[in-house]
Amino acid sequence: MINTYQISFKSSSSYISLNKLSSKTESIWFVFHGYGQLSKYFVRRFDVLDKEKNYIIAPQGLSKFYLDKDYENVGASWLTKEDNKIDLQNQQNYLTELFNELRLKIDFTKTKVNFFGFSQGVSVFTRFLINYNLKVDNLILWAGWVPDGFFKINKSIIENSNIYFVIGDEDQYYDNPIIKKYIEKFKVILDKKVDFNVFRGGHVVDRKILKKINEKL
């Protein structure tokens, strides 16, 4: 007979920042990478933003793995279907500790706060916001899924948030009915309009499009 048991232990992880936080900082970005990526590379996509005005923080997915048979390239995942309740709780614990620590150093009321998720990163930050009270000015959902649980969020958390959805017309998820359904849920359930943006390209964070989105914020 096979039995499964659960144990708890203390763990640590990292996060990456880009640019310098100063009195000139106007926007703080929390950027969540997609499946198979690492925050230290993903954060480079945001180097097109004004360095003085934008401070970027990139949390790291906790589950790392090799991407190739030569064991050279490493990526990470935020969550899989295996032990997902445990992994989700670990993820939430990590992000909660990260934000609690940052709030001791940064006064988020003095800057715009942007949450950006790419692919799997969208479900990560939307799940986090369900249980963590933080003023967020802009939610940028780039080619990813919003879990059903998000639509039970306390509306006051995102009452003043602008919501943007971005996807390439060659993305494998373009025109996916699941995406269309949750875009509608924003309107019907949360009374929030989504600024829908389509660009020519695939499942990537295109720097030029990112720059254009930033101009709307």
Side-chain angles (χ1 to χ4, degrees), residues 21-29 53 106-114 135 137:
L21 184 67
S22 72
S23 59
K24 296 181 180 179
T25 302
E26 296 180 2
S27 297
I28 296 178
W29 294 68
K53 295 180 179 180
I106 304 172
D107 185 353
F108 292 124
T109 64
K110 293 184 178 179
T111 65
K112 283 195 295 186
V113 176
N114 304 325
K135 174 189 75 77
D137 295 280

Side-chain angles (χ1 to χ4, degrees), residues 88-190:
L88 177 58
Q89 187 59 58
N90 290 337
Q91 178 192 115
Q92 295 294 304
N93 292 343
Y94 159 64
L95 293 175
T96 297
E97 287 298 318
L98 170 59
F99 277 82
N100 286 346
E101 179 178 310
L102 291 172
R103 291 178 96 161
L104 296 175
K105 305 174 183 178
I106 304 172
D107 185 353
F108 292 124
T109 64
K110 293 184 178 179
T111 65
K112 283 195 295 186
V113 176
N114 304 325
F115 268 48
F116 179 105
F118 170 62
S119 194
Q120 192 182 45
V122 172
S123 60
V124 174
F125 87 68
T126 48
R127 281 193 179 101
F128 175 65
L129 287 179
I130 295 171
N131 299 310
Y132 196 87
N133 189 15
L134 178 70
K135 174 189 75 77
V136 182
D137 295 280
N138 299 291
L139 308 181
I140 300 98
L141 320 171
W142 196 301
W145 271 257
V146 177
D148 289 337
F150 180 76
F151 296 98
K152 298 177 183 178
I153 193 172
N154 184 334
K155 291 183 180 181
S156 64
I157 294 177
I158 61 168
E159 182 179 5
N160 298 312
S161 302
N162 301 308
I163 302 174
Y164 302 85
F165 182 84
V166 188
I167 194 166
D169 61 2
E170 296 177 6
D171 193 303
Q172 60 264 45
Y173 303 117
Y174 180 64
D175 265 349
N176 190 298
I178 295 177
I179 292 177
K180 291 183 177 180
K181 285 180 181 178
Y182 79 64
I183 293 296
E184 183 66 18
K185 283 183 178 180
F186 272 103
K187 180 180 179 181
V188 175
I189 300 176
L190 299 179

